[in-house]
């Protein structure tokens, strides 16, 4: 979900001013509420846990992005040549990225189990499906604006 935020933010900055995360989140939550058929009580229980899950996953996503950008960042600006990097360091970076992805999935599993205990599994399923649909629509609209 939050992986598209930087892309959307760039597009928003280019077209309509700065990106407003709170507005984005409110629109997404309204869309999810409607699409999943959440009652106000369901939404009140669902979204705090959902937000907490997404924030934790997003933090790991930022670490993954940083590692992918500069996996062997040793804060040594003197030498930009990666040829002298040890093969083991590259392997460690790849493994660390994959371990972070696993942690993201584990967080998702843990929180989804919690959510299924507080509202029906069907509504959780529909909420997650609605989230995906919302993001696809945002990206589709973003691409149209970019043309």
């Amino acid at each position: 979900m939050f992986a598209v935020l930087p892309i959307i933010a760039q597009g928003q900055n280019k077209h309509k001013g700065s990106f407003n995360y709170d507005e984005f989140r409110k629109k997404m939550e309204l869309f999810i509420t409607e699409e999943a058929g959440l009652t106000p009580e369901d939404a009140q229980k669902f979204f705090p846990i959902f937000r907490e899950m997404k924030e934790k996953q997003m933090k790991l996503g930022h670490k993954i992005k940083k590692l992918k950008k500069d996996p062997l960042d040793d804060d040594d600006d003197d030498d930009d040549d990666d040829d002298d990097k040890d093969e083991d360091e590259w392997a460690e970076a790849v493994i660390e990225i994959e371990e972070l992805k696993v942690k993201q999935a584990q967080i998702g599993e843990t929180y989804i189990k919690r959510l299924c205990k507080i509202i029906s599994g069907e509504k959780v399923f529909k909420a997650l499906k609605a989230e995906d649909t919302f993001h696809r629509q945002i990206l589709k609209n973003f691409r149209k604006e970019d043309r």
Side-chain angles (χ1 to χ4, degrees):
M1 165 181 118
F2 294 102
V4 297
L5 289 178
I7 296 167
I8 295 167
Q10 288 174 348
Q12 293 287 336
N13 287 336
K14 209 170 23 172
H15 299 292
K16 298 178 185 170
S18 64
F19 176 72
N20 184 330
Y21 175 73
D22 289 331
E23 182 181 322
F24 172 84
R25 191 186 81 206
K26 286 177 188 174
K27 286 180 182 180
M28 181 185 64
E29 289 180 5
L30 179 62
F31 183 85
I32 290 171
T33 299
E34 291 173 357
E35 291 291 309
L38 301 180
T39 65
E41 295 80 21
D42 291 337
Q44 189 176 12
K45 295 174 192 173
F46 177 83
F47 285 112
I49 295 169
F50 180 78
R51 282 185 223 117
E52 185 178 318
M53 173 183 72
K54 292 300 179 179
E55 286 174 19
K56 288 182 178 186
Q57 289 175 323
M58 190 169 58
K59 286 179 184 176
L60 293 176
H62 290 308
K63 289 180 182 179
I64 291 168
K65 184 178 177 182
K66 185 175 187 237
L67 279 169
K68 284 183 174 182
K69 183 178 178 186
D70 195 359
L72 304 180
D73 184 13
D74 57 4
D75 295 328
D76 183 8
D77 294 330
D78 298 347
D79 187 9
D80 290 340
D81 186 12
D82 289 331
D83 292 338
D84 64 344
K85 299 296 183 185
D86 186 69
E87 180 61 30
D88 290 340
E89 291 178 296
W90 286 106
E92 286 174 21
V94 171
I95 291 168
E96 186 175 355
I97 289 168
E98 293 306 310
E99 287 172 350
L100 290 168
K101 289 178 183 179
V102 168
K103 286 180 185 178
Q104 277 183 319
Q106 289 170 335
I107 289 168
E109 180 183 14
T110 299
Y111 277 83
I112 296 304
K113 286 178 180 177
R114 281 180 59 192
L115 289 168
C116 286
K117 289 179 182 177
I118 61 167
I119 65 172
S120 75
E122 179 184 6
K123 287 183 178 182
V124 172
F125 178 86
K126 288 180 177 181
L128 296 174
K129 186 176 176 183
E131 178 198 9
D132 289 342
T133 301
F134 180 81
H135 288 291
R136 279 193 306 277
Q137 288 178 357
I138 290 289
L139 286 173
K140 186 178 178 181
N141 292 338
F142 175 71
R143 288 183 193 128
K144 284 181 182 178
E145 286 179 13
D146 228 17
R147 289 182 194 149

